[in-house]
Amino acid sequence: TWASFGSTSKPVEILTGTDKKVYHFGVDATDDGLAPTGKWRTASFPLAGPGLRARVESLDTFVEQTSAAITLTVKVGTTDTLAAAPTFPAELTDTFDTSLSTLHQAKYVTDRAGTGTGTAEARFACVHHELETSVPWQWGGGVLRSASMETES
């Protein structure tokens, strides 16, 4: 019910899905017995100057330590054009346990070479996060590092 979605002393995040259902996140609760899924993605952004490619080197994501184990999946999507949706290769996908007080960092420096959509070397990138949990959690941002390849695409 709406009354279970929080109060002034217990704020929650309420979202609506494309399925026209209402969901709430960040509380110690379930959605009909299932852990709600949280997903968010940045818009594609340039990694280097106009027309230049860059190589994704590493990614840090900052999630407050949780009381229970939560698997956070982080994917980097790449593309050489904004006319095409980014692809998320397995090489640029990592998982982290948010109950550990460690740096959640993915390193891609040694990943296979290649240029274009779906590789570590591209003109544009975006970052996708996903987790399923029924315990409170908080995301504090992230940092994506890249090195310019100085090559026009």
Side-chain angles (χ1 to χ4, degrees):
T1 68
W2 282 106
S4 68
F5 273 78
S7 66
T8 55
S9 62
K10 185 178 178 184
V12 296
E13 190 171 354
I14 298 173
L15 304 171
T16 58
T18 55
D19 56 2
K20 298 183 181 171
K21 293 182 181 177
V22 178
Y23 300 92
H24 64 109
F25 295 95
V27 295
D28 190 8
T30 63
D31 181 12
D32 197 22
L34 302 173
T37 300
K39 297 180 184 182
W40 63 101
R41 181 188 300 180
T42 65
S44 293
F45 52 88
L47 293 169
L52 299 177
R53 282 194 178 94
R55 180 170 181 78
V56 175
E57 292 189 332
S58 67
L59 169 78
D60 295 354
T61 190
F62 306 106
V63 178
E64 190 176 284
Q65 187 175 1
T66 56
S67 60
I70 299 173
T71 300
L72 172 67
T73 302
V74 181
K75 303 174 184 181
V76 177
T78 58
T79 182
D80 267 343
T81 173
L82 293 178
T87 58
F88 297 88
E91 294 88 353
L92 300 180
T93 300
D94 285 277
T95 59
F96 304 101
D97 181 349
T98 62
S99 68
L100 303 176
S101 63
T102 57
L103 174 63
H104 304 305
Q105 184 179 72
K107 296 182 180 178
Y108 307 116
V109 174
T110 59
D111 286 348
R112 69 178 169 84
T115 60
T117 300
T119 68
E121 299 167 13
R123 288 185 58 205
F124 303 96
C126 69
V127 182
H128 175 89
H129 290 78
E130 186 171 330
L131 53 77
E132 288 185 16
T133 181
S134 57
V135 299
W137 58 274
Q138 183 172 342
W139 181 64
V143 177
L144 181 71
R145 293 175 196 82
S146 63
S148 177
M149 302 303 291
E150 300 301 326
T151 315
E152 293 204 23
S153 56

